[in-house]
Amino acid sequence: MVRSMQYSNGIRPLPLWLSHLSFDAIFVLIISIVATALLSISTPVWTGLGYIFIIFVLYGIVAALLSYVISMFAKGAVTAWFLLALGQIIFYFAYFGGILGVQSATAYPDLEYMMNALFFGLGIVSPAVCLERTLFIGLQMMALSCNQRAPGSIYLYGGPILYLILQGVFLFALLLWWDVGFVIPTSRSRKSTTDPEGTEMYSTDLISERKRLVSNQTDLRVESVSKFFGKNLAVDNVTFAVQQSEIFALLGPNGAGKSTIISMIRGDIKPSTSNSTIDIAGHSILKHAVAARANLGVCPQFDSADVLTVKETLRFFAKIRGVKNIDHNVSTVIAACGIGEWTDQLAQKLSGGTKRKLSLAIALVGNPRVLVLDEPSSALDANAKRTLWRCLQTISKGRAVVLTTHSMEEADALADRIGIVSSRMLALGEREDLKKRAGENFYIHIVSKSAPRTTRQELQVIRDWIHGTFQNVKISRETQGGQIRFEVPAAGWDMVGLIREFEGAKERLGIEFYSVGKATLDEVFENIVRKYGDDDVIEV
Ligand SMILES: Nc1ncnc2c1ncn2[C@@H]1O[C@H](COP(=O)(O)OP(=O)(O)OP(=O)(O)O)[C@@H](O)[C@H]1O
């Protein structure tokens, strides 16, 4: 997760991987010294301990590089470790089995040739085989060192050294290539299955969104992006544009594809269709990932607090992000996120709210033009949430900010524009404009005196009165026991008339409290998802 955060926050691949490698190299060096010392005291039979030490170091570095590469594909650290160990064990035993086979089936004059062939065949793809061969050579087994060859010869220690160096260079190049924006060739060049203009509401929105896509104010362009997981179409032809100083909220129920869209913007996963475009400050994350990420700050769903202090964490990110004036940048970010009083505290020890602010501060290091926030306040209490929102409003100036949320309240408090997504985009537009789309109807909320233990019969009396009093009324979901929400068409009613009606019936119906208002974002969301989306996912 830490790597993922570093990776998305504009960190350049070369310094990133060199810094990881130099950190791991310290441990490799210590382990190699200890292992060589143990060999030298275990038995005097060992020869060429100097070469063995070099091979231990090279092996450690190649194993570390291999683990980085595997971690790109594996789901978690444990899976990565397991895959690495499994691969090494398989090759170890394959080579060992091969040696036994060669020894039993080969005549002595051909033995060395066959042993070399076995090593040069398997060792090219396996550092474990190189290490195993080294130990055999060191123990003067396999008759390899009895023929006057120098220890550095390609047939002795030179072979494993050469192979380990080649493997190291190959793996390092692979890491850099991946980070620069390697795109896995996709077998799906077909377009998504549903009509991109599948809702009449979105088709109108799309026309205006296409104009925004080409504006030079637009810093984040997401165009015709789809993602399949197997047969599941998680994201269906989504298009939106976010301009400078604008906060765009992707609002949707669980499983709507919000995090998948964010992962594609980060460049962590690639869209499934070849016509997809994702541009960050004019750079395609699919084709020029390094340039795109240099303009991107990401605050992921979960905090990844490290064993560094707040200040050290920010300095670390600034350094590997290539920030020129680190002190100035870090202190600006600390002030913007209001974490000045925790600068010397360990990141791990911070409260939930402050950890979130630190994640936000990390995303801001290097002053990126595009900021991506995945459910920024989901785990926070009401107070911490509001503090974070204030901070977000301040830092959004001059940046294109996209955030995902389930919370209407959060979208209402922060977003200038909102996209309602349920795999496909259902509606998209200015926050206030979306609210107006819910119509001029009145939205009424009634709470019974006996709530939350109101009986079905008591509720039925209220329902009958509603149906008898108002025409074309739409009774919405019951939020909790004893509460009813409903929508009354504006025609024929005004606020005063409605209040008079409720005051008259209040006592008789046992109503404790009622409110009459125009559409909130909740109603907009519910209406749109009910109309176009999956009915099962309305409850959020
Ligand atoms: N790596 C994956 N492999 C397979 N399916 C996935 C993967 N990631 C997401 N999905 C599926 O894609 C769909 C969208 O998931 P996603 O996490 O993007 O939704 P979301 O809107 O972020 O949901 P939530 O609000 O619960 O986080 C879901 O059906 C999910 O099961």
Side-chain angles (χ1 to χ4, degrees):
M1 198 189 294
V2 174
R3 188 188 62 76
S4 166
M5 195 155 176
Q6 296 167 347
Y7 191 53
S8 321
N9 276 306
I11 282 162
R12 295 157 305 151
L14 190 63
L16 171 70
W17 292 119
L18 281 178
S19 77
H20 280 302
L21 201 57
S22 42
F23 182 73
D24 288 337
I26 298 170
F27 296 98
V28 167
L29 211 59
I30 295 168
I31 294 168
S32 303
I33 291 170
V34 173
T36 314
L38 286 175
L39 290 189
S40 79
I41 55 172
S42 63
T43 158
V45 175
W46 292 102
T47 59
L49 276 173
Y51 284 99
I52 293 178
F53 170 72
I54 293 170
I55 291 170
F56 278 164
V57 173
L58 286 173
Y59 173 79
I61 287 172
V62 172
L65 287 167
L66 196 55
S67 71
Y68 305 159
V69 170
I70 291 176
S71 71
M72 298 282 205
F73 311 98
K75 279 202 170 141
V78 177
T79 320
W81 183 88
F82 176 77
L83 288 175
L84 182 66
L86 187 71
Q88 306 261 39
I89 289 169
I90 289 173
F91 273 103
Y92 181 90
F93 283 106
Y95 184 50
F96 195 72
I99 288 172
L100 294 181
V102 166
Q103 278 184 339
S104 60
T106 313
Y108 188 77
D110 299 330
L111 191 58
E112 188 183 358
Y113 173 79
M114 290 303 290
M115 287 291 193
N116 286 339
L118 184 66
F119 166 70
F120 286 113
L122 276 180
I124 185 85
V125 288
S126 168
V129 168
C130 294
L131 187 66
E132 205 176 345
R133 164 102 166 175
T134 302
L135 297 179
F136 285 135
I137 295 169
L139 284 171
Q140 305 181 58
M141 292 168 73
M142 303 190 296
L144 289 170
S145 51
C146 308
N147 45 14
Q148 308 303 314
R149 285 199 173 109
S153 149
I154 197 82
Y155 297 105
L156 293 175
Y157 293 115
I161 290 176
L162 177 70
Y163 270 3
L164 286 168
I165 290 174
L166 289 178
Q167 286 163 5
V169 170
F170 172 75
L171 291 169
F172 198 72
L174 191 66
L175 285 170
L176 296 184
W177 184 41
W178 178 272
D179 274 3
V180 165
F182 163 60
V183 182
I184 296 174
T186 171
S187 57
R188 290 183 198 273
S189 58
R190 68 189 164 107
K191 295 204 170 170
S192 58
T193 46
T194 39
D195 177 5
E197 307 192 355
T199 75
E200 74 265 25
M201 191 180 284
Y202 182 49
S203 68
T204 323
D205 297 339
L206 200 57
I207 294 167
S208 55
E209 205 62 12
R210 292 215 182 277
K211 286 190 197 135
R212 289 165 46 83
L213 277 175
V214 293
S215 155
N216 55 12
Q217 294 286 302
T218 295
D219 268 350
L220 175 64
R221 280 187 190 85
V222 174
E223 194 174 358
S224 310
V225 167
S226 297
K227 180 71 191 176
F228 287 89
F229 290 111
K231 285 187 180 160
N232 174 15
L233 183 54
V235 177
D236 183 3
N237 219 329
V238 162
T239 294
F240 61 88
V242 189
Q243 300 192 335
Q244 290 152 21
S245 298
E246 192 172 81
I247 301 185
F248 177 73
L250 269 173
L251 194 59
N254 289 113
K258 303 180 297 293
S259 300
T260 307
I261 296 172
I262 294 296
S263 299
M264 287 190 280
I265 295 172
R266 295 165 67 154
D268 279 0
I269 57 172
K270 314 286 173 195
S272 304
T273 44
S274 53
N275 60 333
S276 303
T277 306
I278 302 175
D279 284 352
I280 294 161
H283 305 280
S284 164
I285 191 78
L286 304 171
K287 294 182 189 138
H288 309 288
V290 176
R293 285 198 182 115
N295 291 286
L296 178 69
V298 175
C299 177
Q301 219 174 85
F302 304 101
D303 301 302
S304 52
D306 223 324
V307 286
L308 302 173
T309 65
V310 167
K311 201 173 196 171
E312 286 165 350
T313 305
L314 294 171
R315 287 187 65 86
F316 168 77
F317 275 91
K319 207 175 274 176
I320 54 178
R321 198 169 177 158
V323 170
K324 297 240 158 53
N325 189 343
I326 293 180
D327 286 335
H328 176 70
N329 191 264
V330 167
S331 50
T332 311
V333 163
I334 287 174
C337 296
I339 47 176
E341 55 184 293
W342 293 280
T343 45
D344 295 321
Q345 269 210 26
L346 280 184
Q348 283 174 337
K349 300 263 158 80
L350 298 171
S351 69
T354 317
K355 266 191 198 148
R356 283 273 73 194
K357 284 190 191 168
L358 175 59
S359 294
L360 190 60
I362 291 172
L364 282 175
V365 165
N367 205 13
R369 278 165 63 179
V370 176
L371 199 57
V372 169
L373 316 159
D374 199 2
E375 298 190 17
S377 66
S378 59
L380 300 184
D381 65 40
N383 245 341
K385 223 174 240 189
R386 273 167 187 76
T387 320
L388 187 80
W389 289 350
R390 271 198 297 279
C391 170
L392 273 173
Q393 272 157 340
T394 318
I395 56 151
S396 65
K397 305 277 176 297
R399 281 178 237 282
V401 181
V402 58
L403 62 90
T404 68
T405 183
H406 299 122
S407 157
M408 267 22 96
E409 195 197 1
E410 181 160 82
D412 213 0
L414 288 176
D416 303 296
R417 292 171 58 80
I418 291 173
I420 297 180
V421 71
S422 178
S423 176
R424 59 198 167 132
M425 194 67 92
L426 302 178
L428 174 65
E430 303 271 337
R431 182 191 59 209
E432 292 310 313
D433 182 46
L434 278 186
K435 281 190 191 172
K436 279 197 200 120
R437 291 189 204 180
E440 292 302 307
N441 294 351
F442 291 100
Y443 288 82
I444 295 155
H445 182 193
I446 288 179
V447 183
S448 161
K449 275 183 183 158
S450 51
R453 279 178 285 278
T454 313
T455 63
R456 278 172 174 271
Q457 287 77 8
E458 284 175 287
L459 271 182
Q460 197 52 49
V461 171
I462 302 177
R463 280 172 182 274
D464 290 344
W465 175 80
I466 293 171
H467 283 298
T469 312
F470 308 104
Q471 278 185 349
N472 298 325
V473 68
K474 275 191 245 161
I475 298 189
S476 178
R477 62 193 160 118
E478 256 175 59
T479 45
Q480 277 161 8
Q483 299 190 39
I484 296 181
R485 283 172 185 271
F486 61 101
E487 188 182 337
V488 174
W493 289 101
D494 61 13
M495 192 72 88
V496 178
L498 283 169
I499 291 175
R500 206 175 280 142
E501 207 62 48
F502 283 109
E503 285 300 320
K506 207 171 139 185
E507 281 309 312
R508 184 161 47 87
L509 297 172
I511 295 174
E512 172 72 24
F513 164 82
Y514 65 88
S515 69
V516 181
K518 293 286 182 177
T520 64
L521 211 48
D522 260 308
E523 272 99 23
V524 177
F525 180 77
E526 192 175 325
N527 281 350
I528 291 173
V529 177
R530 188 195 293 126
K531 190 165 175 195
Y532 300 112
D534 178 357
D535 265 346
D536 295 340
V537 295
I538 291 173
E539 301 284 344
V540 289

